[in-house]
Structure formats: C-alpha cells, structure tokens
Amino acid sequence: MRAILSITPGKPDSLVLRDAPEPEPSEGEIVIAVKAAAVNFPDVLMIEDLYQFKPPRPFSPGGEVAGIVKKLGAGVTRLKIGDRVLANNTSGGFAEAFLTPANRAFKIPDSMPFDDASAFLMTYGTSQHALTDRAQAKRGETLLVLGAAGGVGLAAVELGKAYGLKVIAAASSQEKVDFAKAAGADAGIVYPAALDRAAQKTFSDAIKAASGGGVDIVYDGVGGDYAEPALRALNWEGRYLVVGFPAGIPKPPLNLVLLKGCQIMGVFWGAFTQREPERHEANISALLKLYTDGRIKPKISKRYSLEDTGRAIEDLAARRATGKIVVMVNS
C-alpha cells in the first residue's frame, strides 16, 4: 500500500510517500480501506515528537479516517467486510489501509459522504464531550469559543447552537469570524495576533460587551495570552474548558478562579473514549442523529491528495484553515 511516513522527527516537509506493508488485523481489530482522512492538530505535534503519544517510526500520521471495512480480525462481530465506517486511532490514517480496534469504528449513514465522515469524529466528539459531559451546558447559557473557525472551534459553535446556547465566536480575522457566524454564532470578536496587557484588557472588555456582561462557558482551543482575558470575562460559577494550546500553554492567575467560584476543566476526549467506551458510543450515535437531521455538518475548506499530505498539515500548522482539511486517499 502507499503511505505517508514520518521517518525522522521534523516539520511537514520531512514526510515521505513510500510503499509500506499493508497491516493485518489481530483479534478485535479491523483494517479499513481508507477513502478520506482528516488533518488534526495532533498530527502537527506528532511528527515533531511533541505529542503525548509517540508511535515508533516509521509511522503514518493521521488519526481520523473514513472508508470501507476490508479485513476483520478474530472475534469481530459488530462489523462486517464492506461496511462504510468512520474510525479513529492514534496514527496510521494517511495511508491506503488503516488498522484500528473494531470498537473505535462506527457505521455511517449511506447518505454521509466519506469526506464528511472523515472530518466528523474528533472535532464533534471533542466539542460534544466538552459541552455536555464536562461543562454540562444548559439551554440559554452563553458560550465563548476561542479559535472559532478551526475544526474543533467550529464544531463547538454548531453544537452550541444545537444545544440552545448563545454563542460568541472569537477568531484572529474578520474572515474567520464571519465564517463562524455563518455556522450559527450569534456574535463575533476579532482578536489580534499578539496580546500585551492593554490588548488583553481590551479583549476581555469586548467579550463582556458582546455577551451582555460575561459568559457562562469558555471553550479554549487556543491557549497562550488569550486565556486570561477570557477567564476574566467568565461569570460566577462559570466553566472554563481547556481544549488545546496552539498559542502556548497559559498560566492563568488562580485567584480569579477563587473570586469567580468557577471551574477550570480539562477536555481529554481521547482518554474519555478509552475509559468510557459505552458513553462514547452513545455520544457518537447522538452526533450522527444531529448530522442526519441536518443540524450539524463538517465545514471542509480544502481537500488534498495523498501526495500532498505534507502541505495539508502545513496549512493547518500555519492556521491557514477555516474548518477542516481532508486528504482524499482511495477516492
């Protein structure tokens, strides 16, 4: 099979396209003929050895795919060869065949194209887990989404509206804010590329103005200097969701947590899916129902060929993407 491989740690231009042995499933595993694979921020970190999981090299990045079940390992009964599925694993997705435990794959509706399916699981799964399992969002509350035009951010915008929240989208350009508002956000804020103390105060004041005084939930997929002003705009007993740190790991002043009686909550969707597989499966069923009802739909900004996977990852790393980037494989 053809596969994009990371041979040594490096930037996206270090990836190479090579022939590699097709995987064989062990007990409880399946092999999927990949039709499409989505690009996610862990792919950027993993090829540089900066992610918490470090697969042995050579490995293919890409943890989120859609395709057709090609091989079944012993004991697999919930799927059959020929099933259309989406699936995730730590890595291996930017290749013509993908090995994964069968319990990490889910059948998709016939009406769902493979590019949509490949861009579905990690973003909506993460944002659903954040808003429902962690923040326990309630209809009528106000949600601020930082990085609202990226994959998980845009999913949070859509799901926030589906759950009856008022959604404020914050992003780094007016184009990105408009993109998030087109996905359902009620209001938008453009934040600068860098924040000094004065700019942090201005940003916090803008959040309070857009929300009518403060927000109940912060969905932070950005981190860095953007975290503190968002925390300062949080209401009493608000919830601050820690999702990612492309702008750096923040150091919030914990006296604000005391003064606001608020909670800072980690959102580690990958660990949740492994620790609580039954809840995860129920969540995915609920998300697929929202999709078939037309209430959510992945926003795919660019599609690349397998040969151009490095460029796709570079686009995401440079924050040039609005919505999701997908690599089309056996399409």
Side-chain angles (χ1 to χ4, degrees):
M1 68 171 185
R2 296 184 308 152
I4 292 291
L5 298 177
S6 175
I7 308 296
T8 59
K11 300 292 185 181
D13 60 5
S14 69
L15 298 172
V16 296
L17 179 63
R18 297 271 176 87
D19 286 327
E22 185 170 299
E24 293 295 329
S26 298
E27 184 175 357
E29 296 180 329
I30 63 171
V31 172
I32 298 169
V34 179
K35 295 294 186 181
V39 181
N40 294 286
F41 196 69
D43 302 324
V44 178
L45 301 177
M46 200 174 295
I47 62 175
E48 297 186 48
D49 278 355
L50 298 177
Y51 196 56
Q52 53 259 50
F53 301 119
K54 295 178 173 59
R57 286 188 166 84
F59 72 89
S60 176
E64 184 178 31
V65 309
I68 298 172
V69 177
K70 185 177 183 180
K71 299 176 184 177
L72 300 176
V76 176
T77 57
R78 61 188 291 272
L79 296 168
K80 65 181 184 300
I81 291 174
D83 280 346
R84 302 173 76 251
V85 295
L86 53 73
N88 77 295
N89 208 342
T90 304
S91 60
F94 298 131
E96 291 181 325
F98 181 73
L99 177 70
T100 186
N103 62 7
R104 299 183 73 86
F106 300 88
K107 293 181 184 178
I108 58 175
D110 290 341
S111 60
M112 190 179 209
F114 288 117
D115 53 353
D116 273 8
S118 75
F120 190 80
L121 190 58
M122 291 181 72
T123 53
Y124 289 110
T126 297
S127 295
Q128 177 200 44
H129 173 55
L131 295 176
T132 62
D133 298 321
R134 302 297 288 142
Q136 298 186 5
K138 302 175 185 65
R139 181 173 294 274
E141 290 189 312
T142 301
L143 166 69
L144 170 69
V145 181
L146 301 181
V152 292
L154 204 64
V157 169
E158 288 187 90
L159 287 171
K161 293 308 299 177
Y163 298 149
L165 307 180
K166 177 182 178 180
V167 179
I168 300 168
S172 60
S173 71
Q174 189 62 53
E175 177 187 10
K176 290 182 177 181
V177 166
D178 291 344
F179 190 69
K181 290 176 73 173
D186 298 286
I189 303 170
V190 178
Y191 50 66
L195 294 176
D196 58 17
R197 293 302 295 179
Q200 283 186 319
K201 183 180 187 307
T202 299
F203 182 36
S204 189
D205 289 343
I207 297 168
K208 293 174 184 177
S211 60
V215 299
D216 302 299
I217 303 168
V218 172
Y219 182 103
D220 184 5
V222 177
D225 292 334
Y226 303 89
E228 184 177 331
L231 180 60
R232 288 185 181 277
L234 202 58
N235 287 333
W236 173 253
E237 293 190 341
R239 287 87 79 207
Y240 194 107
L241 298 165
V242 180
V243 182
F245 326 103
I249 297 176
K251 298 177 181 178
L254 293 183
N255 63 305
L256 292 177
V257 180
L258 182 151
L259 293 172
K260 291 175 175 291
C262 65
Q263 300 177 64
I264 297 178
M265 300 176 164
V267 179
F268 194 174
W269 176 75
F272 164 76
T273 66
Q274 296 180 43
R275 289 172 178 268
E276 302 191 52
E278 291 183 359
R279 288 178 68 191
H280 171 52
E281 186 166 357
N283 282 355
I284 297 306
S285 295
L287 286 174
L288 288 171
K289 177 68 163 54
L290 287 174
Y291 178 88
T292 56
D293 287 347
R295 301 181 69 188
I296 59 174
K297 179 177 173 60
K299 307 298 187 292
I300 300 172
S301 58
K302 291 186 180 180
R303 295 168 179 81
Y304 286 90
S305 66
L306 184 62
E307 292 82 357
D308 287 331
T309 298
R311 194 153 58 92
I313 296 175
E314 173 59 31
D315 269 1
L316 184 71
R319 302 188 204 177
R320 289 191 287 265
T322 51
K324 292 283 285 189
I325 295 175
V326 169
V327 173
M328 305 304 295
V329 185
N330 290 310
S331 55

